[in-house]
Amino acid sequence: MTAGPPEQPLIPQPPPTVTALRQAVAQITPAALPAFTRELDQAADQARLGSDLAPLRRFTAHWAVHVQIHRRPAVSARLRALEEVVETGDAEEVRRAAAEVGRILDEARAALSRNPR
């Protein structure tokens, strides 16, 4: 069996700005918006208290990866299935699922670094 053509993403990868990422999250994973807002508030507070932009950079990097994964329905569905295994599987299943989750995250980060916005 040969693989079909690569899956087309639902949306283009947005630039790693708060506004663009919020719009993307609202479009592809609207249920994640409360977490996005909560984490943004925490990052902004940490940045202000520490006079350091690192928390905001970590925030945008995290959510850029989220969008990179979830804009591709097949990858998003696989990640959800693996997360279920991590929560309910036996030790060996959890180990294999966690390794695959790591690969998905690594591939998303690599794709972002190849195509910076």
Side-chain angles (χ1 to χ4, degrees):
M1 174 183 231
T2 60
E7 177 183 36
Q8 291 300 311
L10 296 173
I11 62 171
Q13 180 68 29
T17 65
V18 171
T19 300
L21 291 169
R22 180 185 291 118
Q23 290 171 345
V25 170
Q27 188 171 355
I28 60 173
T29 55
L33 276 175
F36 180 96
T37 301
R38 183 177 55 256
E39 291 175 23
L40 174 58
D41 291 345
Q42 291 169 348
D45 287 346
Q46 291 171 354
R48 183 181 49 78
L49 291 172
S51 297
D52 181 9
L53 294 178
L56 289 169
R57 287 187 188 109
R58 284 190 299 273
F59 170 84
T60 56
H62 167 80
W63 284 96
V65 168
H66 173 92
V67 170
Q68 175 66 20
I69 291 168
H70 292 283
R71 68 195 191 99
R72 296 187 179 275
V75 176
S76 180
R78 181 64 184 150
L79 181 61
R80 282 192 305 277
L82 291 166
E83 290 170 338
E84 178 69 24
V85 171
V86 168
E87 291 180 17
T88 62
D90 65 34
E92 182 59 26
E93 291 171 325
V94 168
R95 186 190 64 72
R96 282 193 305 261
E100 190 172 344
V101 166
R103 284 190 295 275
I104 289 170
L105 293 171
D106 289 346
E107 289 170 8
R109 288 184 197 107
L112 290 170
S113 67
R114 283 191 304 270
N115 300 309
R117 303 263 324 175

